[in-house]
C-alpha cells in the first residue's frame, strides 16, 4: 500500500456508529409525509451523501417537496436519539492513540451535527482542529472535493493519504482524488447488506474491525514496546 502520511476518516459509520440510527429515523420521518423507503434503499442512495443531496433525490424520485421545518425537526429528534444511543466504533480510540502519522476527518455531515456528535461521545479533544465538512466544498461525494480539501488543509499530497470510508459514494470520492481507500464494514448499518459495487467505488482494501488496522498497515503505527525481561 501507499506509505501514507495522513489518515483521513469519514465520520458517520466510521468514527461513530451513527448511520443505523439516522437511517431508521429518516425512514420513520419520511413515512409521515407519504414517502415509503427501507434501510437498503437508504444505504444505496443516501449513505455518505449530504442532506441537500438527500432532499433533492426525494424530490426527484417521489415528486414531493418536504415542508419547511422538516430538517430542523428531523435533526432535533436525531440528536435526541444520538444522546441515548450513539457510540464510538470499537477500537477507534486505540487506533488514534497508536497512529504515528497525523489524522483528520472529512465528512458530508453538517458542522453542527459533527460538533454535537463529538460532544455526546467525548471525542471533541481528539479531533479538535482536524475536521473538514461538506460545507467547505462546492461538490459533495462522490466528487473528490471533500477529501482533497482535507488533504490540502493538512498539507499532504492526495497520493500520500489513506481514506477510511464506509459508503460507496465516499470510496468513489477517495478514488477520484487519487487516494488509497479502505472500506470499513464494521458499522451496524452494513450488517446483512450486500450492495453492488461499481468499478469506481472498489476499495483497495476492506476491513470490519479497527483491531485489524495495525496488521493491514503496520507502518502507520508506533512500534510495539519491547517486553523482553530486564536483566538482573
Amino acid at each position: 500500500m501507499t506509505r501514507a502520511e495522513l489518515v483521513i476518516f469519514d465520520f458517520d459509520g466510521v468514527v461513530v456508529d451513527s448511520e443505523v440510527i439516522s437511517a431508521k429515523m429518516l425512514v420513520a420521518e419520511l413515512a409521515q409525509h407519504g414517502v415509503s423507503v427501507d434501510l437498503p434503499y437508504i444505504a444505496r442512495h443516501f449513505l455518505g451523501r449530504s442532506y441537500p443531496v438527500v432532499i433533492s433525490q426525494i424530490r426527484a424520485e417521489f415528486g414531493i417537496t418536504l415542508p419547511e421545518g422538516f430538517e430542523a425537526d428531523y435533526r432535533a429528534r436525531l440528536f435526541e436519539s444520538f444522546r441515548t444511543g450513539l457510540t464510538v466504533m470499537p477500537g477507534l480510540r486505540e487506533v488514534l492513540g497508536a497512529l504515528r502519522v497525523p489524522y483528520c476527518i472529512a465528512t458530508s455531515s453538517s458542522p453542527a451535527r459533527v460538533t454535537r456528535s463529538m460532544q455526546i461521545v467525548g471525542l471533541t479533544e481528539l479531533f479538535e482542529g482536524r475536521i473538514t465538512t461538506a460545507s467547505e466544498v462546492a461538490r459533495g461525494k462522490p466528487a473528490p472535493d471533500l477529501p482533497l480539501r482535507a488533504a490540502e488543509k493538512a498539507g499532504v499530497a492526495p497520493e500520500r493519504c489513506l481514506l477510511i470510508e464506509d459508503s460507496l459514494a465516499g470510496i468513489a470520492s477517495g478514488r477520484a482524488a487519487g487516494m488509497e481507500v479502505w472500506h470499513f464494514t464494521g458499522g451496524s448499518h452494513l450488517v446483512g447488506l450486500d450492495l453492488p459495487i461499481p468499478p469506481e467505488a472498489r476499495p483497495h482494501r476492506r476491513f470490519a474491525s479497527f483491531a485489524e488496522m495495525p496488521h493491514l498497515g503496520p507502518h502507520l503505527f508506533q512500534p510495539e514496546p519491547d517486553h523482553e525481561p530486564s536483566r538482573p
Side-chain angles (χ1 to χ4, degrees):
M1 65 162 288
T2 301
R3 297 290 291 186
E5 298 173 4
L6 176 71
V7 179
I8 304 175
F9 295 91
D10 178 38
F11 184 62
D12 292 289
V14 173
V15 170
V16 292
D17 200 5
S18 58
E19 291 288 14
V20 69
I21 301 174
S22 56
K24 289 179 178 178
M25 180 71 66
L26 186 57
V27 167
E29 294 291 315
L30 290 175
Q32 296 183 25
H33 297 278
V35 178
S36 179
V37 295
D38 57 15
L39 293 181
Y41 179 93
I42 298 289
R44 286 195 304 272
H45 298 286
F46 298 159
L47 194 61
R49 305 298 182 92
S50 65
Y51 183 82
V53 171
V54 170
I55 296 305
S56 177
Q57 164 111 10
I58 292 171
R59 185 184 303 112
E61 183 158 346
F62 297 96
I64 182 173
T65 299
L66 294 170
E68 184 177 351
F70 175 87
E71 180 180 4
D73 292 342
Y74 164 70
R75 291 196 185 281
R77 283 190 274 270
L78 182 63
F79 287 158
E80 182 59 26
S81 295
F82 280 177
R83 190 179 66 81
T84 57
L86 189 63
T87 58
V88 179
M89 284 294 179
L92 186 276
R93 292 180 190 271
E94 289 77 7
V95 160
L96 296 181
L99 281 173
R100 67 191 305 172
V101 300
Y103 63 87
C104 64
I105 281 175
T107 176
S108 295
S109 287
S110 67
R113 173 168 168 167
V114 177
T115 298
R116 186 71 186 108
S117 298
M118 290 280 191
Q119 292 170 343
I120 290 170
V121 297
L123 289 177
T124 302
E125 291 186 3
L126 289 177
F127 285 103
E128 189 171 2
R130 303 171 184 256
I131 301 171
T132 300
T133 71
S135 65
E136 300 177 43
V137 296
R139 301 176 300 169
K141 305 171 188 177
D145 301 33
L146 184 56
L148 286 176
R149 175 60 178 153
E152 177 187 35
K153 288 166 64 174
V156 178
E159 62 270 19
R160 309 301 292 180
C161 295
L162 169 63
L163 178 65
I164 310 297
E165 269 283 357
D166 68 309
S167 71
L168 299 184
I171 295 169
S173 175
R175 292 296 304 261
M179 298 180 177
E180 178 96 7
V181 187
W182 293 3
H183 187 192
F184 176 70
T185 61
S188 300
H189 60 298
L190 296 179
V191 174
L193 285 181
D194 186 18
L195 301 176
I197 301 178
E200 68 274 11
R202 288 176 183 160
H204 295 92
R205 289 184 177 177
R206 304 180 75 184
F207 69 109
S209 168
F210 278 110
E212 299 176 52
M213 271 196 74
H215 306 287
L216 296 175
H219 71 279
L220 298 170
F221 294 87
Q222 305 289 348
E224 291 289 336
D226 188 351
H227 293 297
E228 290 184 8
S230 57
R231 296 179 180 179

